[in-house]
Amino acid sequence: MTFATVRSVSIAAAVALSAFSAQALTIPTNSLQADSFQVFSDAALESYALFDVGIKALGNATPVAGTTNTFSLPVTSISIALSGGIKIENGKATGSALEISRPDPKTGIKRGLTIANFTIDFAKNQVLADTTVIGGATQPQAPVYNFTKTQELALKYKFPLSISLKEQLGDLRLVDVNGTADALGIPRALANIVIPEIDFGVINIDIGVAFRSKPVSTKPYVPAL
């Protein structure tokens, strides 16, 4: 996953001035051309194909035309820490979801899980999401992937809070291998051999100063029962 170019996000000077006394500032970006792109690696797709696993975009998420491995997840907000130097704490894609599922080979019933309402946690180098096993309970903001920074953050600040940054995240590694295997109905022994070896891909995030024709929803995605 890649974090690339968060450009010229500006807010009113009055808000900026009040923010200097706060510990963190959350900037809504759902009205801006702010998008993240989940790009699954060939290795991830090949492993999914072995078990007839498919990926479906839900909520704000959409498949990117002309690709079979890329999904757009609109960025709805970013949070900036203001103490100890200005830095990005997290970015959110609330309202977006991906369903990872397969038909049970014995019954044909769909098995799998939905990951929704994504957060990039820069402090822990993790992607978090509300994780729901099909037909089961939801784990709010559970760790989904660990990532590494393949390019260090370049952050620029200009009064009254015009921010540009560029960062690249990659080497996505699935955190809950056993939970994912159980949800999909894949033997844990096999999953623990295959899944830890897979780099699941990259995320590209691009936030621009231009406005969307229509703001995206900031309502959290909730899977249908």
Side-chain angles (χ1 to χ4, degrees):
M1 296 183 178
T2 310
F3 256 70
T5 62
V6 177
R7 304 188 306 270
S8 304
V9 178
S10 299
I11 62 175
V15 176
L17 287 171
S18 65
F20 284 118
S21 61
Q23 295 299 308
L25 174 67
T26 297
I27 302 175
T29 56
N30 61 305
S31 295
L32 300 176
Q33 292 289 349
D35 294 290
S36 63
F37 299 93
Q38 168 80 59
V39 184
F40 287 92
S41 66
D42 289 343
L45 295 183
E46 288 168 3
S47 68
Y48 281 162
L50 288 174
F51 300 101
D52 199 20
V53 174
I55 308 168
K56 180 181 179 181
L58 299 169
N60 292 341
T62 55
V64 174
T67 73
T68 58
N69 67 339
T70 305
F71 297 85
S72 175
L73 315 169
V75 179
T76 53
S77 68
I78 58 173
S79 292
I80 301 171
L82 300 173
S83 59
I86 297 175
K87 59 184 178 181
I88 303 299
E89 285 190 333
N90 63 63
K92 295 182 179 293
T94 303
S96 291
L98 296 175
E99 180 186 271
I100 314 296
S101 65
R102 69 190 283 253
D104 187 289
K106 294 182 179 179
T107 66
I109 297 173
K110 183 167 67 175
R111 300 190 62 167
L113 67 162
T114 299
I115 50 177
N117 309 315
F118 300 90
T119 299
I120 304 295
D121 186 331
F122 290 97
K124 296 181 179 179
N125 284 9
Q126 285 187 327
V127 179
L128 312 176
D130 296 340
T131 303
T132 307
V133 175
I134 293 174
T138 297
Q139 297 183 57
Q141 293 300 286
V144 178
Y145 300 113
N146 292 321
F147 63 77
T148 60
K149 298 176 182 179
T150 56
Q151 181 177 334
E152 283 302 316
L153 177 69
L155 175 65
K156 295 181 180 179
Y157 165 79
K158 184 177 179 181
F159 185 84
L161 200 56
S162 175
I163 299 220
S164 64
L165 68 87
K166 182 177 181 180
E167 186 164 23
Q168 188 175 84
L169 312 178
D171 192 23
L172 296 179
R173 301 289 172 168
L174 192 67
V175 174
D176 188 3
V177 174
N178 287 335
T180 301
D182 292 347
L184 291 167
I186 297 171
R188 286 189 174 189
L190 180 58
N192 278 276
I193 293 172
V194 176
I195 293 178
E197 300 301 318
I198 298 173
D199 174 354
F200 275 81
V202 300
I203 291 178
N204 300 316
I205 294 186
D206 193 348
I207 300 177
V209 69
F211 286 93
R212 296 184 187 275
S213 58
K214 181 181 179 181
V216 297
S217 172
T218 57
K219 183 179 179 180
Y221 180 84
V222 179
L225 298 177

